Amino acid sequence: MTSVWRGLRRRILTPSTSATRLDVRGFHEKDAASKELLEKIGSTFLTGFAHAAQARTADEAESELERIPVRFRGFAYEGAAMGFAIRDALPLSRGGNIPRFLAGAGGAHVYMAYVGIGWAMARLPRARWSRIAPTDPVLRWLALDGYGFHQAYFHTGRYVHQRYRPERFPWPVEGPRWYADRVLDQGVGRALWFVCGTAPALVVRTIETFPRHRWPDLYSGAGLAATYAGGADESELRSLWDAAGDCRPQLAQGAAFAAAARLRAGLVVPHNEVATRVFCGMSTAEAARCSDGNRPEGPVRGDVPGYEVWRRRVAHEFVSIGRC
């Protein structure tokens, strides 16, 4: 009966793969290759979610996740984190799945895992958030990046075309409230890479429909997605770099974060190298070191969150070396 229950849990919790089809979402289709890529990413995310929904333990899920091809494995871990977070938030759940997941192989994918927790937050009542909300003082903001991505991906009309931005976002409870909007926009910027079908020109045109003060965070997210997910060739990436203008430091910062996530998990593939050369002027390994080397190691002074201090340091690094 246990295996029957786990199979039922998987079927009940796991969304349909049709939800990730570009035609269902109404996303731009640049060409057949980019359509196939984005839908593969979506289906792989759901595969990871399904493994977490059905697995008896985090270790059991990890053995399945490690079978996913390198290019897409990070998305599977992101989906698994969402699945484990939802399990932890369910009534009568003993919890602890996310900590066990991150203590094992999931720890190498901690950036993607925290984003996956944000997906779960977007699907759960706010009263359940306290059961799954990450506590790392720097990385916890990645959950809001995931939340913003989810909202722009599934509620595109409101969050992208109508440029909606929630007022006084309720998490983290202790704030600062003003910064939540900034991180949500990074997630929206990442989603634009998918909404626009990996077409840089359309990404730029879409960003330019938003108020100008939101552009830096949107470009940061777009740079992260373009680097991590791929889907554009070198000439297209250079067109995005050229169009970013004053937001190039943030575009480079997003690319460096993507490089760090890929390198930490051992998932670097050729398109990552192309993107970091275009956006950062260096290899993926060098861009990752730039990101990791600027991360605050302890509490920061003032009212600026450590995550934002980190982002600013990385962006400034590219300005200081004359890249931007």
Side-chain angles (χ1 to χ4, degrees):
M1 289 297 293
T2 301
S3 62
V4 172
W5 160 241
R6 289 191 289 114
L8 180 61
R9 182 173 65 198
R10 172 176 177 151
R11 288 193 295 273
I12 292 174
L13 294 180
T14 308
S16 170
T17 55
S18 65
T20 63
R21 282 172 33 194
L22 267 64
D23 59 340
V24 171
R25 299 259 56 84
F27 293 171
H28 176 70
E29 295 184 17
K30 184 179 71 175
D31 53 38
S34 62
K35 178 178 184 291
E36 180 180 4
L37 170 67
L38 294 180
E39 291 183 345
K40 177 66 174 177
I41 289 171
S43 65
T44 304
F45 178 98
L46 292 180
T47 296
F49 182 100
H51 287 320
Q54 184 170 2
R56 289 172 297 179
T57 64
D59 288 344
E60 183 178 282
E62 290 162 6
S63 67
E64 296 296 330
L65 296 172
E66 287 299 306
R67 300 170 189 255
I68 304 292
V70 167
R71 179 169 188 178
F72 301 100
R73 193 177 302 160
F75 301 106
Y77 270 89
E78 181 183 359
M82 179 188 179
F84 280 130
I86 286 181
R87 285 180 57 179
D88 282 349
L90 291 175
L92 305 181
S93 170
R94 296 179 181 178
N97 287 294
I98 283 292
R100 287 189 290 270
F101 182 58
L102 292 176
H109 304 266
V110 63
Y111 303 134
M112 301 298 283
Y114 273 35
V115 168
I117 293 171
W119 276 68
M121 291 170 66
R123 293 292 179 103
L124 291 167
R126 291 178 181 175
R128 312 302 293 178
W129 287 6
S130 61
R131 292 180 60 88
I132 64 169
T135 57
D136 184 290
V138 176
L139 295 183
R140 66 177 180 168
W141 293 98
L142 286 169
L144 285 189
D145 184 306
Y147 186 102
F149 182 101
H150 177 282
Q151 298 303 82
Y153 190 94
F154 288 103
H155 306 287
T156 311
R158 191 179 194 198
Y159 278 79
V160 176
H161 304 308
Q162 297 175 20
R163 297 167 292 283
Y164 171 75
R165 201 182 203 186
E167 294 184 6
R168 297 185 60 79
F169 196 81
W171 185 86
V173 175
E174 69 277 16
R177 293 288 179 87
W178 62 268
Y179 191 58
D181 292 344
R182 299 276 312 278
V183 189
L184 290 169
D185 270 354
Q186 293 164 49
V188 172
R190 274 198 312 117
L192 290 183
W193 191 247
F194 290 74
V195 172
C196 299
T198 78
L202 183 56
V203 170
V204 172
R205 290 199 299 272
T206 304
I207 288 176
E208 290 178 351
T209 67
F210 285 77
R212 195 175 186 89
H213 69 272
R214 299 177 65 178
W215 291 10
D217 294 315
L218 294 171
Y219 269 110
S220 173
L224 197 157
T227 303
Y228 195 97
D233 62 28
E234 182 174 354
S235 64
E236 290 177 304
L237 295 175
R238 291 197 181 281
S239 72
L240 180 59
W241 174 259
D242 291 340
D246 292 344
C247 296
R248 287 175 187 167
Q250 289 75 32
L251 186 65
Q253 172 266 310
F257 272 29
R262 282 278 184 178
L263 190 70
R264 178 188 177 103
L267 303 180
V268 175
V269 290
H271 77 256
N272 306 139
E273 296 288 356
V274 175
T276 55
R277 286 291 180 191
V278 171
F279 296 147
C280 305
M282 58 184 65
S283 69
T284 298
E286 291 169 326
R289 284 196 293 272
C290 175
S291 173
D292 293 341
N294 282 288
R295 178 178 168 178
E297 296 182 356
V300 297
R301 296 181 179 179
D303 61 353
V304 178
Y307 183 68
E308 177 61 15
V309 171
W310 186 16
R311 294 180 66 237
R312 291 180 184 180
R313 287 178 180 176
V314 174
H316 180 71
E317 185 88 3
F318 292 110
V319 174
S320 66
I321 64 175
R323 178 61 188 159
C324 304

